Amino acid sequence: MGAQGHCDPRFARVREVFENHFAKGEELGAAFAVHLDGEPVVDLWDGVADRHTGRPWERDTPALTYSCTKAVTAAVALMLAERGEVDLSAPVAEVWPEFAAGGKERVTVEHLLTHQSGLPVIEEDVPAEEFGDQPAIAARLAAQRPMWEPGTAHGYHALTYGFLVGEVVRRVTGKSVGEFVAAEIAGPRGLDLWLGAPPDVIARAARLSAGERRTPGGATGSDGTEAVRAAAELPGRGPGDPMWEMARAALDKGSVMNRAMGNPSPGKVKGGANNPAIMGAGWPAMGMVTTARGLAGFYRDLLAGEIVRLDTLQDALRPRVSGPDRVMFLDSAFGLGFMRPATMFFTPGKGAATAFGHPGLGGFVGLGDHRYGLAVAYTMNRMANAVAGSMRGYRLLEAVYDSLP
C-alpha cells in the first residue's frame, strides 16, 4: 500500500527511500517530515507504533526522541538570554549559588551549552524514585568536581546537559524546561512536542524496540556487544583510532561514555524508555516526546525567526568547540546547544557547512539548514545500534538534499 501522507513530487525520491526501508524490513514504524522555506513538502508515516499489539502508526503518533531534546532546551536558554534573564557568559553560580562548590565558580552557562563544563557523569547513582525530581538530580551535580578544567575541552554530556541547563532555567523562571516549552514554544505554536508528556500522549506514543544487531560476520547479539567488539577488531583499527576507542569504551561498563549515558538509567524501571515515568519526566537532555511534524515545525519556526531572533540563532550556530570528543572519542562540534556537522552529526555534503540540529540515540533526527530553508525531522521506533545516528536517517537526509535544485 505504501506510506501514508503527503509528498511533493519534487521529493519523490524521499518517498521512495522511506518506503524502501519498510520493504527491506528495516523499519517497524516511522514518520518523516520536511518543510522547505516554511512550507510542508514531506509528511509521511507508515508501519506499527507497537510491535506487540500491531497498533498502527498514525498521523499523530509521537515518540520519545532522546537527544533531539537538547536543541529545544538550547532554544529555551537562548530565549532567556534574549530577554536579558540569563547571561550566557556569566558564571552559573550567579543564578545557582550551590553550583560553585568543587571549584566550579567560574563555569559559565555557555560551558553548559557547549559540553565544556567537565560534568558528563553523575557520580552518585540516581535511584528510580528520583527520576521525576530534576532539582534533586541537579543538586548531585552541583556538589561534584569537574572531570577536567571547564573550558579547556569538550565531551558529550549525554544526560547531564539537561539537568544542568534545566536548573539554570528553573532558577531564573521558576519553571522546568518542559513547563516553559509548553507555555512559550509548543503551546502557542500548536506543536505536538512535550517535555513531560501527559498520560493521553503517552498512551498513543510509539513503543521503542531494539533492532536486530549484527556483527560484520552475521552473528546477532541482543545487546549489541558482539557488534561493538567486532568494530574494535576491524583491520586497521587500534589504540588511538577514534572508532576503536569508542568501541572499547562501549565494552567497559565503567567507562566515562557508559557512565555518561547510563545514569540516571531508564533501565531501572519496567519497559525502560517506554515507561510512563520516563516519558512523563521531561528530562531536558533526552525526554522529549514529539511527532516528526512537531519537531520539523520547531525547526521551521526557528528558521523563520519566530522563536528567537535570526541574529541570535546565527550566533548560536557559530561553532564554539569541535574535534575529538572527550567522552565519545569521535569528532563532535557544538554551537550553543546545537550540534554542527561532524562525525557525531553526519550530514550529506550539501549540508556539511550549514546544517544544524541534534540527532537522538537510535537514529532520530532533528535538523535545520538556513542556506536551503530546510526543517527536517525523522522519528521511528526500531532503534539502531549506533550512537552517531543510523543509515536510515542519513539516507532520508541524502534524498532530501538530492531533491533540491
Side-chain angles (χ1 to χ4, degrees):
M1 184 174 68
Q4 299 182 71
H6 163 71
C7 186
D8 185 290
R10 293 172 294 172
F11 291 85
R13 174 62 180 156
V14 176
R15 178 188 281 274
E16 180 184 335
V17 171
F18 185 78
E19 292 181 342
N20 192 44
H21 289 160
F22 283 93
K24 291 165 59 179
E26 295 183 6
E27 296 279 23
L28 287 171
F32 192 63
V34 181
H35 290 265
L36 178 65
D37 295 328
E39 296 299 319
V41 292
V42 178
D43 185 11
L44 298 172
W45 65 92
D46 201 358
V48 295
D50 187 333
R51 66 183 177 89
H52 295 293
T53 67
R55 173 167 56 92
W57 194 292
E58 306 282 1
R59 184 176 190 272
D60 62 349
T61 296
L64 181 78
T65 55
Y66 284 92
S67 287
C68 292
T69 311
K70 290 181 174 72
V72 177
T73 297
V76 171
L78 294 174
M79 291 174 72
L80 295 175
E82 269 194 353
R83 298 173 185 179
E85 296 182 53
V86 170
D87 181 351
L88 301 182
S89 65
V92 173
E94 287 190 5
V95 297
W96 181 5
E98 300 92 329
F99 187 80
K104 302 192 297 299
E105 61 277 353
R106 291 191 295 276
V107 176
T108 67
V109 179
E110 182 169 321
H111 287 149
L112 305 185
L113 288 167
T114 55
H115 300 258
Q116 294 187 83
S117 71
L119 296 168
V121 171
I122 303 174
E123 299 290 354
E124 296 178 347
D125 185 59
V126 178
E129 305 82 64
E130 204 171 277
F131 282 7
D133 191 348
Q134 293 183 40
I137 299 174
R140 294 177 181 274
L141 286 163
Q144 291 183 195
R145 297 191 66 84
M147 296 182 72
W148 62 79
E149 183 180 347
T152 64
H154 74 284
Y156 191 48
H157 288 45
L159 293 171
T160 60
Y161 167 97
F163 299 121
L164 293 166
V165 178
E167 185 63 9
V168 170
V169 171
R170 190 183 74 85
R171 294 287 175 128
V172 170
T173 67
K175 298 176 181 178
S176 68
V177 171
E179 290 168 338
F180 189 97
V181 167
E184 305 208 31
I185 297 179
R189 305 192 168 282
L191 300 176
D192 288 340
L193 188 155
W194 302 267
L195 274 79
D200 63 311
V201 171
I202 293 172
R204 58 185 173 85
R207 296 297 182 260
L208 306 183
S209 299
E212 188 176 44
R213 301 165 172 115
R214 294 185 179 276
T215 69
T220 300
S222 61
D223 64 356
T225 302
E226 292 92 337
V228 171
R229 183 173 289 112
E233 295 173 355
L234 287 172
R237 304 290 188 189
D241 176 83
M243 287 295 295
W244 188 92
E245 296 289 354
M246 185 182 73
R248 295 297 295 178
L251 295 172
D252 177 5
K253 291 183 178 180
S255 69
V256 172
M257 184 177 80
N258 278 334
R259 289 160 59 209
M261 300 182 72
N263 184 31
S265 171
K268 286 181 177 288
V269 296
K270 184 178 180 180
N274 292 318
N275 191 292
I278 302 300
M279 287 194 280
W283 292 349
M286 56 76 66
M288 178 172 62
V289 177
T290 184
T291 62
R293 186 182 304 101
L295 185 53
F298 164 76
Y299 282 96
R300 173 200 64 206
D301 293 349
L302 262 184
L303 291 172
E306 296 177 5
I307 295 177
V308 295
R309 296 191 309 266
L310 289 177
D311 63 314
T312 298
L313 178 62
Q314 288 298 325
D315 180 65
L317 299 185
R318 178 171 55 83
R320 267 54 173 197
V321 294
S322 63
D325 189 287
R326 283 282 292 266
V327 175
M328 305 302 296
F329 300 99
L330 304 179
D331 282 358
S332 62
F334 294 95
L336 296 177
F338 297 106
M339 272 194 173
R340 298 307 312 276
T343 307
M344 281 185 60
F345 185 43
F346 196 54
T347 56
K350 281 186 178 180
T354 51
F356 70 97
H358 218 292
L361 180 71
F364 298 97
V365 176
L367 176 145
D369 191 323
H370 54 85
R371 178 180 180 182
Y372 296 102
L374 283 176
V376 184
Y378 168 58
T379 61
M380 48 76 209
N381 59 355
R382 187 171 193 171
M383 304 283 285
N385 184 32
V387 172
S390 76
M391 284 307 299
R392 284 170 287 154
Y394 180 81
R395 289 186 206 114
L396 287 165
L397 286 177
E398 188 174 49
V400 169
Y401 278 102
D402 286 348
S403 299
L404 299 173

